[in-house]
Amino acid sequence: IVLFGAVGETLTEKAGNLNLGTPGIMCMGGAFGFVGAYLYETSVGNPNAFMCILVALGTAFIVSALGGLIYSFLTTTLHANQNVTGLTLTIFGGTGDLTYRKLLPAMYNLYIKNQLPEEFLITPIGRRDYTDTDYQGVIEPWISEFAQVKVKDEQLQAFFEHIHYFRMDFTAQSQYQLLDQYYEAHPSENHVVYYAVAPDFFEGITDGVSIMENMHEPKIVLEKPFGASLELAKFLSKKLETLFGSNHIY
């Protein structure tokens, strides 16, 4: 049981969701199970080994169940935030159809459901000369149409405060120095980079992101299949794994 719980928590943390509920409840169960067994052994003159195990398991189960009920009430009913780390999402292709139809509406859904950290930043990247206000005007109808939750103006404006459009030509390697300076001013320990562009641009973006000093161990998200041929796909896959590590590719 401990192994399954630990594996599940490891997978969620890889996705950037550092959830203290799972290990906390497991720790509570283990600690109170030990206390229950100790109290049984010290209160009985000739403790039975089987009963000792039964008391420990029963105590651990009851305490874990109560802890789980309290935790689920806080997070599900009261919508307490489960995340303790921030998030910075960089979208290459910030003016594309995938971003408009899927990514930003999905992020809005998560925001309304309180499934994003309190501190998060979405940086759509594009070549068009938009200000933040211009970009908000462009994406507002898309979010209103494709979000799964009802869009309210006050909540949408609050969501917009976390979105900052960054203009750059991501095919020019020199431009990544500007992006690096941007993230020097907006530091984060949890970077996710989404390749919402054609596969032809993957290699150039990979080279640019890999040299950025202020984007530490980014998680790379891309659409598959990619590459014009099997050889090119293998080449890109190998390059991504070499520069970022296979456990950072999604």
Side-chain angles (χ1 to χ4, degrees):
I1 294 174
V2 173
L3 179 61
F4 282 134
V7 170
E9 179 62 14
T10 300
L11 292 176
T12 60
E13 289 185 13
K14 277 186 62 180
N17 185 354
L18 184 55
N19 187 339
L20 300 182
T22 302
I25 291 172
M26 291 167 60
C27 183
M28 285 174 52
F32 278 90
F34 173 79
V35 172
Y38 174 78
L39 292 176
Y40 168 74
E41 290 182 0
T42 55
S43 62
V44 177
N46 186 24
N48 181 279
F50 178 74
M51 281 300 298
C52 184
I53 296 174
L54 210 59
V55 169
L57 290 175
T59 306
F61 177 80
I62 292 171
V63 171
S64 297
L66 289 174
L69 285 173
I70 294 172
Y71 184 76
S72 62
F73 174 75
L74 291 173
T75 57
T76 305
T77 304
L78 300 183
H79 301 291
N81 200 302
Q82 302 180 52
N83 301 279
V84 296
T85 58
L87 169 68
T88 295
L89 173 63
T90 304
I91 305 175
F92 286 96
T95 57
D97 193 66
L98 176 60
T99 300
Y100 291 160
R101 290 177 178 269
K102 299 293 184 181
L103 301 185
L104 292 178
M107 294 300 291
Y108 181 76
N109 294 336
L110 295 175
Y111 174 73
I112 295 301
K113 295 176 182 178
N114 204 36
Q115 294 179 352
L116 290 176
E118 292 183 5
E119 299 294 330
F120 73 93
L121 171 66
I122 301 174
T123 305
I125 292 176
R127 302 180 187 179
R128 298 176 185 176
D129 189 13
Y130 287 150
T131 64
D132 283 347
T133 302
D134 294 335
Y135 190 73
Q136 292 168 11
V138 172
I139 64 176
E140 182 173 356
W142 292 91
I143 294 176
S144 298
E145 180 177 356
F146 291 101
Q148 295 177 351
V149 297
K150 185 177 180 180
V151 176
K152 299 179 179 179
D153 184 65
E154 183 177 349
Q155 294 173 324
L156 184 61
Q157 295 306 315
F159 177 66
F160 282 162
E161 293 180 3
H162 297 272
I163 301 177
H164 297 287
Y165 178 81
F166 189 86
R167 184 191 179 194
M168 67 173 281
D169 179 2
F170 53 73
T171 63
Q173 290 298 303
S174 60
Q175 296 279 293
Y176 289 86
Q177 296 178 3
L178 301 176
L179 184 61
D180 200 30
Q181 293 172 7
Y182 170 79
Y183 281 129
E184 184 178 10
H186 301 83
S188 174
E189 294 298 322
N190 184 23
H191 278 277
V192 177
V193 180
Y194 204 111
Y195 289 16
V197 294
D200 294 344
F201 300 110
F202 284 7
E203 185 179 3
I205 294 173
T206 298
D207 290 335
V209 170
S210 67
I211 62 173
M212 291 176 57
E213 297 180 355
N214 296 295
M215 189 179 282
H216 182 62
E217 295 185 351
K219 301 173 181 68
I220 308 299
V221 184
L222 43 82
E223 302 289 329
K224 289 188 175 181
F226 58 82
S229 65
L230 178 60
E231 290 73 20
L232 182 57
K234 288 182 177 180
F235 169 78
L236 290 172
S237 180
K238 181 66 175 178
K239 187 164 191 173
L240 286 164
E241 291 181 7
T242 300
L243 293 175
F244 303 116
S246 59
N247 61 335
H248 283 75
I249 311 300
Y250 298 83

